[in-house]
Amino acid sequence: MPKYQNVLDSPNTNTIFMIWNFKENTDYKTVFKKLCSLVINLNHSANTRFPETQSSVVLGISYEAWLKLDLPKPLPRELKPFVSIKGKKHEAVSTKADIHFHIRSNNQSYCVDIVSNLTDLLKDVATCQEEIHGFRYWDGRSILGFVDGTENPQDKERITFGLIGKEDSNYQNGSYLFVQKYLHDMQAWKNLPISEQEKIIGRTKVNDIEMDDDEKPSNSHSALANVGDDKKIVRDNMPFGNISTNEMGTYFIAYARKFSIVKEMLERMFIGEPFGNYDRILDFSKAKTGTLFFVPSFDLLDQLSD
């Protein structure tokens, strides 16, 4: 098993995202130590029992939870409360959360069992704020119909951009985790001609080919969300939702060596580059949550379980 939690895999067929907040006046510190041991055990077990299913569970801890739990100081360098980013028209909201779970597998039964294991341990000391069941849509597309994550780093680059290195030696092999739950106005999106959708995304819909720079609008998603080849993140976005109630969305999840890269991307999307030239995808996609977490290495999780 690698020293780091599984932040580098590509999105899987089945995923469950969970956000929990600790209850006051409970013994959550003791339970958290057990949780660290449980997460290590669950990952070891998955690698042994289901090696072919790419099954794992990743634990992230927020700044507020780090302080509540009296975890080591100094903190990871860029672990701070996420401050909302407000543009002229749209806002990347900030929401409260203590811990985050990213559970994935080719086998849906694994995801269900892991949620049950975690809930059994946490239910007396924490409240689940979000439980989102994601699914793979065709060939890795968002529910908007475009391939998602094309600009993700590949191969060894995923380690370079996804894991903290020697620059913060106390937290080496950890990762910053940022999540947002987006809900889409699917009816308004479907009413657009495909040619207009492509201008908003900056890529062709069928073949996933990026537009040339002289053709791509400056307020397209690919123009603003890309902050440079030397500033990448590992995206694991998944679609989710209920079709009949028109509550379809995308769970944006990014693992990064530096949260500052994610922040720069969000500022370009919501504030605009230049100011006011915001990402047009936001006219059809509303951010309902936004929280920053830190994902400890397995070595650190082992220390926190003592």
Side-chain angles (χ1 to χ4, degrees):
M1 174 177 279
K3 294 183 178 180
Y4 49 86
Q5 292 194 67
N6 187 19
V7 304
L8 302 182
D9 262 9
S10 298
N12 215 318
T13 306
N14 302 287
T15 302
I16 299 179
F17 305 102
M18 300 184 82
I19 287 179
W20 291 74
N21 284 320
F22 292 122
K23 299 176 183 177
E24 295 183 6
N25 303 315
T26 62
D27 191 15
Y28 54 77
K29 291 182 181 180
T30 298
V31 172
F32 177 77
K33 291 181 179 181
K34 295 179 181 178
L35 176 64
C36 293
S37 294
L38 177 61
V39 168
I40 294 171
N41 180 266
L42 291 173
N43 281 284
H44 274 298
S45 179
N47 287 340
T48 301
R49 298 171 62 202
F50 315 111
E52 73 287 351
T53 63
Q54 297 178 294
S55 302
S56 63
V57 52
V58 177
L59 167 64
I61 308 164
S62 73
Y63 172 86
E64 291 83 359
W66 198 280
L67 298 183
K68 290 178 185 177
L69 294 164
D70 294 325
L71 300 186
K73 295 180 181 178
L75 279 66
R77 289 182 182 177
E78 295 194 23
L79 181 60
K80 298 176 181 177
F82 174 62
V83 177
S84 63
I85 297 172
K86 191 169 186 178
K88 191 173 182 180
K89 187 174 180 181
H90 301 290
E91 180 179 6
V93 297
S94 172
T95 49
K96 180 184 179 298
D98 285 330
I99 52 179
H100 183 280
F101 296 107
H102 180 189
I103 304 153
R104 54 189 159 184
S105 177
N106 287 334
N107 189 333
Q108 189 176 23
S109 299
Y110 174 85
C111 296
V112 172
D113 282 353
I114 295 307
V115 168
S116 179
N117 295 150
L118 297 172
T119 300
D120 286 346
L121 178 62
L122 288 170
K123 65 182 186 304
D124 292 334
V125 300
T127 302
C128 184
Q129 300 298 123
E130 295 276 6
E131 180 182 328
I132 294 176
H133 293 235
F135 58 91
R136 181 175 175 84
Y137 186 53
W138 293 112
D139 50 338
R141 295 175 185 266
S142 79
I143 202 64
L144 298 178
F146 286 77
V147 175
D148 199 357
T150 303
E151 294 298 320
N152 261 353
Q154 301 296 323
D155 303 322
K156 292 183 179 179
E157 276 196 338
R158 295 176 81 84
I159 294 176
T160 301
F161 292 110
L163 297 177
I164 295 170
K166 295 180 180 179
E167 71 276 4
D168 194 0
S169 58
N170 289 336
Y171 299 103
Q172 190 169 354
N173 292 318
S175 183
Y176 294 101
L177 163 63
F178 182 73
V179 301
Q180 291 175 299
K181 181 179 76 173
Y182 284 91
L183 290 182
H184 306 309
D185 186 341
M186 293 301 297
Q187 194 57 56
W189 181 256
K190 290 177 181 178
N191 287 340
L192 293 176
I194 289 179
S195 59
E196 184 65 20
Q197 293 180 2
E198 291 178 334
K199 289 178 182 178
I200 292 171
I201 300 298
R203 309 185 74 90
T204 60
K205 190 169 188 178
V206 174
N207 297 321
D208 187 37
I209 297 173
E210 187 171 2
M211 293 179 177
D212 293 334
D213 289 342
D214 57 353
E215 180 187 8
K216 183 194 304 181
S218 63
N219 63 351
S220 66
H221 180 63
S222 63
L224 290 169
N226 186 351
V227 295
D229 290 341
D230 59 339
K231 296 179 179 179
K232 292 189 176 184
I233 59 177
V234 177
R235 295 174 174 86
D236 270 345
N237 305 350
M238 293 291 277
F240 69 91
N242 297 299
I243 297 172
S244 62
T245 58
N246 195 31
E247 293 178 303
M248 300 299 292
T250 297
Y251 199 82
F252 171 72
I253 174 167
Y255 293 107
R257 183 174 189 159
K258 297 179 179 179
F259 173 66
S260 54
I261 294 175
V262 184
K263 183 180 178 184
E264 181 179 351
M265 181 192 72
L266 294 171
E267 289 173 343
R268 287 169 58 89
M269 289 176 60
F270 284 84
I271 296 174
E273 181 60 41
F275 177 81
N277 186 55
Y278 65 86
D279 191 336
R280 272 216 62 209
I281 200 173
L282 298 176
D283 287 339
F284 304 88
S285 308
K286 185 176 180 60
K288 307 296 287 187
T289 67
T291 315
L292 173 64
F293 302 89
F294 176 74
V295 177
S297 67
F298 278 123
D299 289 341
L300 180 53
L301 278 183
D302 189 43
Q303 295 175 31
L304 298 179
S305 69
D306 293 337

